Amino acid sequence: MNYRHAYHAGNFADVVKHAVLARLVEYLKQKDKAFRVIDTHAGIGRYNLASVEAGKTGEWQTGIGRLVESALEPQAAALLQPYLEAVRARNPDGGLKHYPGSPLIVRHLLRSQDRLTAIELHPEDAARLKSVFAGDFQTRVIELDGWLALGAQLPPKEKRGLVLIDPPFEEEGEFSRLVEGLQKAHRRWPGGIYALWYPIKDRKAVTAFRTALTETGIPKLLDIAFEIRPASNEPSLDGSGLVVVNPPYTLESELKVLLPALHKVLALRQQSLWSLEWLAGK
């Protein structure tokens, strides 16, 4: 409960995660039928990049700060446009003063018929999130343990949509909870799209996590890994990953454009890697 994303908002992991998230939402918008996005660990929604917390780490400067100043190839720029428009919408006077968390990025991209359920356990953060979305009939904020939501909130009445599972990884056993939570959710709603975020810090734990996902028998699992530096002796956040369950048929080809473009901008050492791997299906 002591984790605060304010220290890390807008860092490289956020950029990659939110760029992929935007592509998933854009895919869902290709059909007129309404959909729902469920964000299980939603945070406070909006982050002040001039805050004491953000200033202590400065992580956003080598994340979204680099990206907005970079000249991108046209194809990559087009794919990133929805995400970057959501960021710019929070900075109407130009520059970078605020960074939108995943609920605000999703909300920016929704159409009038679509809905967002944003779930946050921490009482103070949930209260702040509710204030961000006060009066917004398309968004419901729930103060609840996100792991419980994987049972209580599924399937959504729309029967179309996306579940973002983005735990803070501040407690032991988060990788196991991700696998168990996905299994529970997938049993209730096998046709949904799921995006599971994870840190690349403990390499053995990541390998075991990927193996455990493969052993679930869930038929379509695409693993996205993005590293900004190679492994070192000292434990550090060398990268992050996102496992997408039931990925849109367009996603793999889009990521083959996006990931190298983002890596060129965000990698601290070019010998680090990005990868796309089907853990199950294709």
Side-chain angles (χ1 to χ4, degrees):
M1 296 293 287
N2 62 352
Y3 175 85
R4 285 295 185 276
H5 193 64
Y7 291 95
H8 313 288
N11 69 358
F12 78 91
D14 263 3
V15 169
V16 176
K17 173 178 60 183
H18 292 152
V20 176
L21 176 64
R23 297 316 310 162
L24 295 173
V25 174
E26 289 299 292
Y27 172 79
L28 288 166
K29 288 161 63 176
Q30 291 181 14
K31 292 184 179 180
D32 291 336
K33 189 177 179 182
F35 63 84
R36 182 176 296 269
V37 177
I38 299 172
D39 190 340
T40 64
H41 297 76
I44 63 175
R46 180 172 55 222
Y47 299 89
N48 182 359
L49 297 179
S51 68
V52 172
E53 294 90 344
K56 282 186 176 180
T57 64
E59 290 182 15
W60 68 271
Q61 295 176 26
T62 53
I64 188 62
R66 280 189 179 182
L67 183 60
V68 297
E69 294 178 354
S70 298
L72 299 165
E73 295 291 333
Q75 195 176 1
L79 291 172
L80 285 168
Q81 184 176 354
Y83 161 55
L84 291 177
E85 284 182 352
V87 174
R88 293 187 182 108
R90 295 293 133 192
N91 297 277
D93 299 326
L96 276 175
K97 297 178 182 177
H98 297 93
Y99 186 79
S102 49
L104 271 181
I105 289 172
V106 168
R107 182 64 186 91
H108 179 82
L109 298 174
L110 295 186
R111 306 163 301 179
S112 60
Q113 67 265 43
D114 306 321
R115 297 293 183 269
L116 166 65
T117 299
I119 298 163
E120 174 54 45
L121 175 61
H122 195 286
E124 293 177 12
D125 290 358
R128 292 179 68 176
L129 190 62
K130 288 178 180 178
S131 69
V132 168
F133 290 107
D136 184 348
F137 73 92
Q138 287 183 246
T139 300
R140 182 185 181 195
V141 177
I142 305 173
E143 184 180 328
L144 180 69
D145 184 340
W147 298 115
L148 297 178
L150 294 174
Q153 300 298 317
L154 297 178
K157 65 178 182 179
E158 294 84 358
K159 300 297 192 294
R160 294 184 69 229
L162 162 68
V163 181
L164 174 64
I165 309 173
D166 179 19
F169 278 87
E170 286 292 298
E171 299 179 8
E172 293 290 330
E174 294 284 55
F175 279 113
S176 296
R177 288 189 191 93
L178 264 182
V179 176
E180 293 164 4
L182 174 62
Q183 287 179 297
K184 177 173 69 174
H186 192 265
R187 283 194 296 268
R188 293 182 62 89
W189 190 31
I193 299 172
Y194 298 85
L196 288 66
W197 183 87
Y198 64 90
I200 298 176
K201 189 173 182 180
D202 181 337
R203 304 293 176 128
K204 290 183 179 179
V206 169
T207 299
F209 168 62
R210 291 169 175 157
T211 300
L213 283 174
T214 302
E215 293 173 348
T216 63
I218 293 172
K220 294 181 181 179
L221 299 166
L222 180 62
D223 180 54
I224 304 157
F226 189 97
E227 299 180 17
I228 58 169
R229 57 181 158 250
S232 60
N233 293 328
E234 295 296 324
S236 61
L237 186 65
D238 299 323
S240 67
L242 201 67
V243 175
V244 181
V245 182
N246 296 325
Y249 73 95
T250 55
L251 186 64
E252 185 178 15
S253 60
E254 290 181 347
L255 292 175
K256 287 179 178 178
V257 174
L258 272 179
L259 294 178
L262 289 173
H263 197 264
K264 185 177 180 180
V265 173
L266 301 175
L268 299 181
R269 298 181 188 172
Q270 288 303 316
Q271 64 266 42
S272 56
L273 304 171
W274 63 268
S275 66
L276 278 175
E277 180 183 356
W278 287 92
L279 302 179
K282 186 171 182 179

